[in-house]
Amino acid sequence: MENPLCGAAFLKPETKQLAEPKPNQALIDAMTKSIDVSLATCWSIPDWPKWRDAAHDVKAYTLANLDKLLAQFADNLEAKGVKVLWARDAEDANKIVLEIAKENNVKTVVKGKSMVSEEMELNKAFASIGVRALETDLGEFIVQLTGKRPTHIVTPATHLSAKEVGEVFHEKLDVPFTEQHEELTMIARHKLREEFISADMGMSGINIAMASTGSFCLVENEGNIGLSTTAPKIHVALMGIEKLIPGPEYLPLFLNMLPRMGTGQKLTSYTHIFNGPTEGRKLYVVIIDNGRTRALAQPRHRKVLHCIRCGGCMARCPVYRQVGGWAYGWVYPGPLGIVLTPQLLGFEKAGKLPFASSLCGACSQICPVKVDLAHQIVRSRAESIESPASPAHSIAERLLWTGFVWMMKKRWRYNMAMRFVKIGARFAPLLPYHPWLMGRWTRGRAIPAAQKEGSFGKWWKKNHKD
Ligand code: SF4
């Protein structure tokens, strides 16, 4: 399966966008509004820090016992007549889902939003066997019409203004242009309604799975998940292995945290709990690893699997707000993507991502389940540089830093090096061309002129005689 992180093209768009940022005002406005509303809703709970601690502890317990809890979840599902299937990676998961589609002679699929299905590039896989898959979440529906990836994990079309959505609908759906929110929603509603009724199969992700009862929960605001999972006769739910909690006693905690940080709501408009197939219907649950056990096996990165996909860290991240989701090259953008993508795909494909951060630490502060994102970003940088297959692994840079350490160990070496730097700084602006990294740096910047007073040491001696 074609992976967008493979090949020489990877990170070129990111590099370009970081070098020549064109801030997207719709994205900046949406993120600013979203974070203000979310924080107010979260902190309206007086014990919010304790809730965060509790959610963190539940997730830590779950991950420490994941093998047993997953087995318990699967056994309980099967006892209710649910068909449980296990996928090692995205390719495996696609094979399983396509097999289900073929067995049931499926021609059309309606899909609720699922980031795992984005990992799998499931729509492409469906197209390869002639199955038409339609995204039914409003944001995903818009993004699918544009033929691009979502830019955010909760609000996929957040980069588009109402005017731009109106233009997309006008062009792709052949309807009169409008930029009125209600009218745009009604157009999508009208187009999607018939699809729900006629689809052969419905698909969804899973927000929270409960091991002790073999049930799972989906939250939404639009009603499309309810229709996608109940109108067709077959429902296939995709789940990453980390979506589990031990049992329903912890469900209210996560049902509160996810929408409060995700959309600033106390609860989502709809909460669905699935307890097995109803009569005459089929329910499949596909449990997917796709690199997650790699993170699970590393104590330094395990906490990234606490993530409940609320999107809060993206809204808070100064880099994400400038560059948007596509710049991160794959499914998960922002601080979450920086940490998770190298774990899922390996540093050889995503080794540059950990460097797309200002390291301000705002993401760690905001995360409702206390994923230590900032620390993980720093660790990922170190690991990326150490990993020989990573594009961030540079022998030249290693030599440079070894030389720097050698220089800093003796005062005379430092002084001598500074003399060379001064001479270089004086003559560099006169040169027509600067080689290698220097050239990249000076393309958009002027080299600062050396101080006339000489070195910092001389200045210090002159001004601090006592
Ligand atoms: S890492 Fe934390 S803040 Fe970011 S999406 Fe996951 S749960 Fe939300």
Side-chain angles (χ1 to χ4, degrees):
M1 167 146 305
E2 189 194 332
N3 186 314
L5 288 188
C6 297
F10 176 48
L11 290 189
K12 276 190 181 159
E14 169 212 303
T15 317
K16 200 170 164 215
Q17 226 162 334
L18 286 173
E20 299 157 22
K22 285 193 199 107
N24 176 326
Q25 203 52 46
L27 178 71
I28 293 171
D29 291 348
M31 291 300 107
T32 307
K33 200 169 151 200
S34 140
I35 204 65
D36 289 350
V37 177
S38 297
L39 284 176
T41 322
C42 293
W43 284 94
S44 67
I45 297 176
D47 284 335
W48 180 247
K50 286 190 189 159
W51 285 47
R52 289 179 77 206
D53 288 341
H56 178 273
D57 292 349
V58 173
K59 279 293 186 182
Y61 173 83
T62 306
L63 292 176
N65 296 282
L66 195 61
D67 51 347
K68 295 182 203 87
L69 292 172
L70 276 172
Q72 189 188 20
F73 177 60
D75 289 347
N76 285 331
L77 281 172
E78 279 169 351
K80 294 174 183 181
V82 180
K83 181 111 170 113
V84 180
L85 299 141
W86 301 84
R88 196 180 40 230
D89 53 27
E91 206 178 323
D92 233 12
N94 277 328
K95 264 190 212 152
I96 289 169
V97 176
L98 297 193
E99 206 49 54
I100 296 171
K102 283 181 200 161
E103 266 171 27
N104 292 283
N105 199 24
V106 168
K107 293 280 171 268
T108 52
V109 175
V110 279
K111 286 178 70 211
K113 191 159 78 61
S114 153
M115 296 318 289
V116 177
S117 84
E118 295 286 339
E119 285 179 36
M120 295 158 58
E121 299 199 56
L122 182 57
N123 291 355
K124 269 195 204 168
F126 273 138
S128 72
I129 59 161
V131 171
R132 193 168 69 90
L134 187 77
E135 298 290 347
T136 62
D137 171 271
L138 180 57
E140 290 273 357
F141 176 67
I142 297 165
V143 168
Q144 191 180 29
L145 287 176
T146 62
K148 293 189 175 161
R149 275 183 189 284
T151 49
H152 192 274
I153 61 171
V154 178
T155 48
T158 196
H159 57 293
L160 295 174
S161 64
K163 182 169 174 277
E164 287 164 324
V165 174
E167 283 162 0
V168 172
F169 280 6
H170 176 57
E171 187 194 332
K172 303 282 179 183
L173 302 177
D174 197 21
V175 291
F177 171 79
T178 173
E179 52 183 305
Q180 298 303 315
H181 290 87
E182 290 79 6
E183 288 175 23
L184 291 168
T185 313
M186 288 313 289
I187 291 169
R189 190 173 194 256
H190 181 70
K191 291 278 169 199
L192 288 169
R193 182 80 26 176
E194 304 153 16
E195 303 281 354
F196 290 123
I197 295 162
S198 59
D200 303 312
M201 185 164 107
M203 298 216 53
S204 72
I206 287 182
N207 290 116
I208 305 158
M210 291 156 275
S212 66
T213 52
S215 39
F216 61 89
C217 175
L218 285 166
V219 294
E220 59 155 338
N221 286 312
E222 298 167 20
N224 68 301
I225 290 182
L227 285 164
S228 299
T229 55
T230 54
K233 289 266 183 268
I234 305 159
H235 171 197
V236 180
L238 305 171
M239 170 184 143
I241 55 170
E242 80 285 16
K243 287 298 178 86
L244 206 58
I245 58 171
E249 61 275 31
Y250 303 108
L251 183 62
L253 176 65
F254 290 95
L255 278 184
N256 261 285
M257 302 206 99
L258 182 53
R260 275 174 199 269
M261 188 51 82
T263 49
Q265 295 168 285
K266 289 181 180 165
L267 273 180
T268 46
S269 306
Y270 301 99
T271 302
H272 309 279
I273 297 181
F274 293 81
N275 266 312
T278 49
E279 217 181 308
R281 299 166 51 80
K282 293 182 186 170
L283 175 56
Y284 299 82
V285 172
V286 185
I287 302 174
I288 299 159
D289 177 352
N290 204 27
R292 286 158 174 79
T293 43
R294 189 163 24 197
L296 187 67
Q298 298 182 51
R300 289 151 62 94
H301 290 294
R302 180 180 280 193
K303 277 191 198 166
V304 75
L305 300 178
H306 287 204
C307 174
I308 54 172
R309 309 286 191 269
C310 72
C313 54
M314 286 146 222
R316 201 64 195 264
C317 175
V319 177
Y320 173 84
R321 290 157 70 114
Q322 291 296 316
V323 301
W326 298 326
Y328 295 82
W330 199 53
V331 176
Y332 299 103
L336 169 66
I338 287 176
V339 174
L340 185 62
T341 305
Q343 293 304 316
L344 299 189
L345 299 181
F347 283 106
E348 64 277 20
K349 289 179 183 163
K352 283 193 175 176
L353 273 184
F355 299 88
S357 165
S358 66
L359 290 184
C360 65
C363 46
S364 301
Q365 283 180 346
I366 205 167
C367 177
V369 282
K370 298 182 82 170
V371 178
D372 55 342
L373 288 159
H375 287 105
Q376 292 208 34
I377 293 170
V378 175
R379 284 178 215 134
S380 298
R381 284 187 182 184
E383 285 162 28
S384 181
I385 286 168
E386 293 296 327
S387 164
S390 164
H393 180 85
S394 156
I395 292 171
E397 201 172 316
R398 289 173 88 83
L399 286 174
L400 200 72
W401 285 111
T402 308
F404 180 77
V405 170
W406 178 83
M407 177 192 82
M408 293 301 281
K409 279 185 174 166
K410 294 277 181 207
R411 188 188 175 113
W412 69 266
R413 290 178 197 160
Y414 173 80
N415 285 339
M416 194 172 71
M418 285 306 106
R419 260 181 223 131
F420 282 121
V421 168
K422 250 163 74 177
I423 295 168
R426 196 164 297 154
F427 288 104
L430 308 175
L431 298 174
Y433 166 75
H434 296 150
W436 193 48
L437 285 176
M438 188 67 182
R440 272 197 244 163
W441 195 86
T442 54
R443 200 164 50 205
R445 303 172 182 87
I447 299 176
Q451 288 295 317
K452 290 221 170 62
E453 289 191 47
S455 70
F456 174 76
K458 275 188 193 162
W459 174 87
W460 184 265
K461 268 189 203 155
K462 190 176 155 193
N463 291 286
H464 298 80
K465 286 197 176 114
D466 45 336

